[in-house]
Amino acid sequence: MTALGGARRPAGYAQPAIAQADIAARPGAVSAAGADLSVGARAAVTRLALTDFRCYARLKLVLDARPVVLTGPNGAGKTNLLEALSFFAPGRGLRRARLGEVDRIGAGPWGAAATVLGPTGVLEIGTGHDRPNHDRSGDVGEGQSTDGRRVVRVDGRTERGQAALASAVAVFWLTPDMDRLFAEGPGARRRFLDRLVYGFDPEHARRVAVYEHAMRERARILREGRGDGAWLSALEDRMAREGVAIASARRAVAERLARAIHDGVGAFPKAGLAVEGPLDRALAEGPALAAEDAVRAALATARGEDAISGGAATGPHKSDLVVRHLGKDMPAALCSTGEHKALLISIALANARLVALDRGAPPILLLDEVAAHLDATRRAALFETLLELRAQTWMTGTDAHLFAPLGQAAQHFAVAEAAVVPLAGVPS
Ligand SMILES: Nc1ncnc2c1ncn2[C@@H]1O[C@H](COP(=O)(O)OP(=O)(O)O)[C@@H](O)[C@H]1O
Ligand SMILES: [Mg+2]
C-alpha cells in the first residue's frame, strides 16, 4: 500500500506542479484540509452540511482531503450522503431523483452546502430545492420542472443554471445501478459519457442544457402544429450548433479515455470506447461545419415526421457510447456483472487521471458499494490507485473491515440511522 505522502504515480500521471504551488501558497487552503495537502494537488470536500435531505434532518461533517469511508447497515443513510455530493454536479444526482423526492418526508425543501478545496483555492458551494410558487407561470425553463427548480450558489453568487457546478468542482460516481449500464438503452450511457465530459469541459453541461431545451421547444411547436417557421429554424440552428459541439466534445473525451486506458489500467480490464451515431459518423467523415449543415437540413426536412413521433430526426441524442472488453474482444453488453463493474472502474480511474492532468486535481469520486463486489486483489489495486491519484473518494459498504487496508490514509465513519460518526481507530 502506498503511503499517503509517498506519491508513487501511475504511468502517465504527472503531478501538476503549478496547482500544487497554488495550494501551498494559500494558507487558508492548507489549514482547511490538513497538512497532507502540501504534497500534492487535490480536490476535496472539507465541510458538508445537509438540511432535510432524505433521511437527514440536519447533518454537519468536517473532513480533511483523504478518502472517506462510510460503513453501516442497510438503510443507514450511506447512499443518501453520496447522493447529496452528486448534486454538486449538474443533473439529477446519482439516483436521478425528482427534486421533491429528495425532500425529507414531511419536511424540506432540501439543501446541501459544501466547502470545496480545489487547485484554485477554496469555494463555497450550495444547492437545493426551490419549491415552486403556485402563482408563477407554468413555463418550464432550463433546470426547472413542475417539481420546482434546483438553485445553485457558488461563493454566495446565485447561478442561472447548474452548469456553474461543473466549473467549480468535478464529481464522478459509480453506483450498483450502473451494473446495468451496458444492458440498458443508450440514454443512460449518454448521460454517463456526458458526466465524464463535464470533468474536462465544464461548458459541456451548459451546451447539453441549451440543446435539450431547444429540442423540447421544437417538439412542442411541432406538436401544437403552429406554423412558426422562423422560430423552428432558429431552434434547429441552435440544435445544430450546440449538437455538433456536444458530439465533438464527447468524441474527444472518449478518444482520450480510450488512449489512457490503452496505456494501462493495472489490475482492471482494458475498455475500448467509441461514440456511435449519425452525428458521430458525420464528424468522423468530414468537418464540423458540414456536420452542422447536415443537422440543420435533416431537421428542416423531418419536421413532418418529428411532429408525429415527438422526437428529433438527428442530433447527439441519437448517439451511443459503445464499450468493449478488449481483453475478451467482446462488447461490454455480453460481459458478466463483475466484468461490467471492473470495466466501469477502469473508465473511472482513467477519467480521474486525465481530469487531474487537466484541472490540476482529480475529481471527487463517489463509489457506492464498489469494494464489496471486488476480489481482494482488485480491491487492493483500487485502493492503491485512489491513493496514488490523491482523489478524495467516498466509499460505502456494510463491512468496515474491507476498508482496513486503507488504514490512516482514509477517514472512516460509521453511519447508523442518519447519524455519521467518526470511527474510533482504524477498522481491522
Ligand atoms: N425523502 C426521504 N425522506 C426521509 N427518508 C428517506 C427519504 N428517501 C429515502 N429515505 C430513507 O433513507 C434511508 C437510508 O437510505 P440509503 O442512504 O439508501 O441507505 P444505505 O445506508 O443502505 O445506503 C432509507 O431507509 C430510506 O427509507
Ligand atoms: Mg446504499
PDB file of all heavy atoms in Angstrom, residues 73-80 82 95 176 368-369 396-398, ligand 2:
ATOM      1  N   PRO A  73     -25.107  -0.416   8.455  1.00  0.00           N
ATOM      2  CA  PRO A  73     -26.093  -1.377   7.952  1.00  0.00           C
ATOM      3  C   PRO A  73     -26.909  -0.812   6.778  1.00  0.00           C
ATOM      4  O   PRO A  73     -26.867   0.391   6.509  1.00  0.00           O
ATOM      5  CB  PRO A  73     -27.000  -1.634   9.168  1.00  0.00           C
ATOM      6  CG  PRO A  73     -26.804  -0.450  10.054  1.00  0.00           C
ATOM      7  CD  PRO A  73     -25.415   0.046   9.817  1.00  0.00           C
ATOM      8  N   ASN A  74     -27.633  -1.679   6.121  1.00  0.00           N
ATOM      9  CA  ASN A  74     -28.539  -1.254   5.049  1.00  0.00           C
ATOM     10  C   ASN A  74     -29.528  -0.228   5.591  1.00  0.00           C
ATOM     11  O   ASN A  74     -30.018  -0.367   6.710  1.00  0.00           O
ATOM     12  CB  ASN A  74     -29.338  -2.445   4.510  1.00  0.00           C
ATOM     13  CG  ASN A  74     -28.447  -3.403   3.734  1.00  0.00           C
ATOM     14  OD1 ASN A  74     -27.467  -2.986   3.125  1.00  0.00           O
ATOM     15  ND2 ASN A  74     -28.781  -4.673   3.788  1.00  0.00           N
ATOM     16  N   GLY A  75     -29.806   0.782   4.805  1.00  0.00           N
ATOM     17  CA  GLY A  75     -30.806   1.775   5.199  1.00  0.00           C
ATOM     18  C   GLY A  75     -30.277   2.822   6.160  1.00  0.00           C
ATOM     19  O   GLY A  75     -31.037   3.655   6.661  1.00  0.00           O
ATOM     20  N   ALA A  76     -28.983   2.813   6.422  1.00  0.00           N
ATOM     21  CA  ALA A  76     -28.413   3.738   7.413  1.00  0.00           C
ATOM     22  C   ALA A  76     -28.332   5.171   6.904  1.00  0.00           C
ATOM     23  O   ALA A  76     -28.406   6.123   7.685  1.00  0.00           O
ATOM     24  CB  ALA A  76     -27.025   3.253   7.828  1.00  0.00           C
ATOM     25  N   GLY A  77     -28.179   5.327   5.600  1.00  0.00           N
ATOM     26  CA  GLY A  77     -28.067   6.672   5.031  1.00  0.00           C
ATOM     27  C   GLY A  77     -26.780   6.896   4.262  1.00  0.00           C
ATOM     28  O   GLY A  77     -26.419   8.039   3.967  1.00  0.00           O
ATOM     29  N   LYS A  78     -26.082   5.815   3.896  1.00  0.00           N
ATOM     30  CA  LYS A  78     -24.788   5.937   3.201  1.00  0.00           C
ATOM     31  C   LYS A  78     -24.978   6.458   1.779  1.00  0.00           C
ATOM     32  O   LYS A  78     -24.329   7.424   1.360  1.00  0.00           O
ATOM     33  CB  LYS A  78     -24.070   4.576   3.170  1.00  0.00           C
ATOM     34  CG  LYS A  78     -23.862   3.959   4.556  1.00  0.00           C
ATOM     35  CD  LYS A  78     -23.181   2.607   4.471  1.00  0.00           C
ATOM     36  CE  LYS A  78     -23.955   1.546   3.708  1.00  0.00           C
ATOM     37  NZ  LYS A  78     -25.208   1.118   4.380  1.00  0.00           N
ATOM     38  N   THR A  79     -25.874   5.810   1.036  1.00  0.00           N
ATOM     39  CA  THR A  79     -26.075   6.241  -0.354  1.00  0.00           C
ATOM     40  C   THR A  79     -26.658   7.655  -0.397  1.00  0.00           C
ATOM     41  O   THR A  79     -26.320   8.457  -1.268  1.00  0.00           O
ATOM     42  CB  THR A  79     -26.965   5.231  -1.103  1.00  0.00           C
ATOM     43  OG1 THR A  79     -26.351   3.949  -1.019  1.00  0.00           O
ATOM     44  CG2 THR A  79     -27.127   5.611  -2.570  1.00  0.00           C
ATOM     45  N   ASN A  80     -27.522   7.961   0.569  1.00  0.00           N
ATOM     46  CA  ASN A  80     -28.090   9.315   0.607  1.00  0.00           C
ATOM     47  C   ASN A  80     -26.990  10.375   0.714  1.00  0.00           C
ATOM     48  O   ASN A  80     -27.078  11.442   0.098  1.00  0.00           O
ATOM     49  CB  ASN A  80     -29.045   9.470   1.805  1.00  0.00           C
ATOM     50  CG  ASN A  80     -30.326   8.664   1.628  1.00  0.00           C
ATOM     51  OD1 ASN A  80     -30.610   8.173   0.537  1.00  0.00           O
ATOM     52  ND2 ASN A  80     -31.097   8.532   2.703  1.00  0.00           N
ATOM     53  N   LEU A  82     -23.878  10.079  -0.354  1.00  0.00           N
ATOM     54  CA  LEU A  82     -23.225  10.171  -1.669  1.00  0.00           C
ATOM     55  C   LEU A  82     -24.121  10.919  -2.663  1.00  0.00           C
ATOM     56  O   LEU A  82     -23.639  11.704  -3.491  1.00  0.00           O
ATOM     57  CB  LEU A  82     -22.899   8.771  -2.201  1.00  0.00           C
ATOM     58  CG  LEU A  82     -21.477   8.266  -1.973  1.00  0.00           C
ATOM     59  CD1 LEU A  82     -21.023   8.437  -0.544  1.00  0.00           C
ATOM     60  CD2 LEU A  82     -21.309   6.831  -2.426  1.00  0.00           C
ATOM     61  N   ARG A  95     -29.179   9.219  -8.142  1.00  0.00           N
ATOM     62  CA  ARG A  95     -30.395   8.392  -8.242  1.00  0.00           C
ATOM     63  C   ARG A  95     -31.335   8.904  -9.315  1.00  0.00           C
ATOM     64  O   ARG A  95     -32.433   8.389  -9.475  1.00  0.00           O
ATOM     65  CB  ARG A  95     -31.140   8.384  -6.910  1.00  0.00           C
ATOM     66  CG  ARG A  95     -30.532   7.508  -5.843  1.00  0.00           C
ATOM     67  CD  ARG A  95     -31.564   7.301  -4.749  1.00  0.00           C
ATOM     68  NE  ARG A  95     -31.131   6.363  -3.752  1.00  0.00           N
ATOM     69  CZ  ARG A  95     -30.662   6.722  -2.550  1.00  0.00           C
ATOM     70  NH1 ARG A  95     -30.537   7.999  -2.239  1.00  0.00           N
ATOM     71  NH2 ARG A  95     -30.322   5.805  -1.682  1.00  0.00           N
ATOM     72  N   PRO A 176     -24.211   0.820  -7.746  1.00  0.00           N
ATOM     73  CA  PRO A 176     -24.618  -0.540  -8.129  1.00  0.00           C
ATOM     74  C   PRO A 176     -25.610  -0.536  -9.297  1.00  0.00           C
ATOM     75  O   PRO A 176     -25.579  -1.443 -10.127  1.00  0.00           O
ATOM     76  CB  PRO A 176     -25.275  -1.093  -6.854  1.00  0.00           C
ATOM     77  CG  PRO A 176     -24.666  -0.313  -5.737  1.00  0.00           C
ATOM     78  CD  PRO A 176     -24.398   1.061  -6.295  1.00  0.00           C
ATOM     79  N   ASP A 368     -20.220   3.901  -4.665  1.00  0.00           N
ATOM     80  CA  ASP A 368     -21.217   3.319  -3.777  1.00  0.00           C
ATOM     81  C   ASP A 368     -21.151   1.798  -3.870  1.00  0.00           C
ATOM     82  O   ASP A 368     -21.370   1.234  -4.944  1.00  0.00           O
ATOM     83  CB  ASP A 368     -22.613   3.832  -4.174  1.00  0.00           C
ATOM     84  CG  ASP A 368     -23.650   3.579  -3.088  1.00  0.00           C
ATOM     85  OD1 ASP A 368     -23.261   3.366  -1.923  1.00  0.00           O
ATOM     86  OD2 ASP A 368     -24.860   3.594  -3.412  1.00  0.00           O
ATOM     87  N   GLU A 369     -20.852   1.146  -2.754  1.00  0.00           N
ATOM     88  CA  GLU A 369     -20.852  -0.327  -2.684  1.00  0.00           C
ATOM     89  C   GLU A 369     -19.938  -0.954  -3.718  1.00  0.00           C
ATOM     90  O   GLU A 369     -20.266  -1.994  -4.263  1.00  0.00           O
ATOM     91  CB  GLU A 369     -22.267  -0.873  -2.947  1.00  0.00           C
ATOM     92  CG  GLU A 369     -23.348  -0.250  -2.120  1.00  0.00           C
ATOM     93  CD  GLU A 369     -23.751  -1.129  -0.946  1.00  0.00           C
ATOM     94  OE1 GLU A 369     -23.191  -2.237  -0.839  1.00  0.00           O
ATOM     95  OE2 GLU A 369     -24.579  -0.685  -0.159  1.00  0.00           O
ATOM     96  N   THR A 396     -18.607   3.458   0.198  1.00  0.00           N
ATOM     97  CA  THR A 396     -19.561   2.938   1.167  1.00  0.00           C
ATOM     98  C   THR A 396     -19.483   1.423   1.210  1.00  0.00           C
ATOM     99  O   THR A 396     -19.031   0.790   0.255  1.00  0.00           O
ATOM    100  CB  THR A 396     -21.010   3.298   0.778  1.00  0.00           C
ATOM    101  OG1 THR A 396     -21.292   2.643  -0.457  1.00  0.00           O
ATOM    102  CG2 THR A 396     -21.199   4.791   0.630  1.00  0.00           C
ATOM    103  N   GLY A 397     -19.968   0.858   2.300  1.00  0.00           N
ATOM    104  CA  GLY A 397     -20.059  -0.587   2.419  1.00  0.00           C
ATOM    105  C   GLY A 397     -20.702  -0.943   3.739  1.00  0.00           C
ATOM    106  O   GLY A 397     -20.876  -0.095   4.614  1.00  0.00           O
ATOM    107  N   THR A 398     -21.075  -2.230   3.870  1.00  0.00           N
ATOM    108  CA  THR A 398     -21.657  -2.652   5.138  1.00  0.00           C
ATOM    109  C   THR A 398     -20.561  -3.215   6.049  1.00  0.00           C
ATOM    110  O   THR A 398     -20.762  -3.343   7.244  1.00  0.00           O
ATOM    111  CB  THR A 398     -22.737  -3.732   4.913  1.00  0.00           C
ATOM    112  OG1 THR A 398     -22.206  -4.698   4.018  1.00  0.00           O
ATOM    113  CG2 THR A 398     -23.991  -3.134   4.307  1.00  0.00           C
TER     114      THR A 398
HETATM  115 MG    MG B   2     -26.807   2.200  -0.199  1.00  0.00          MG
END
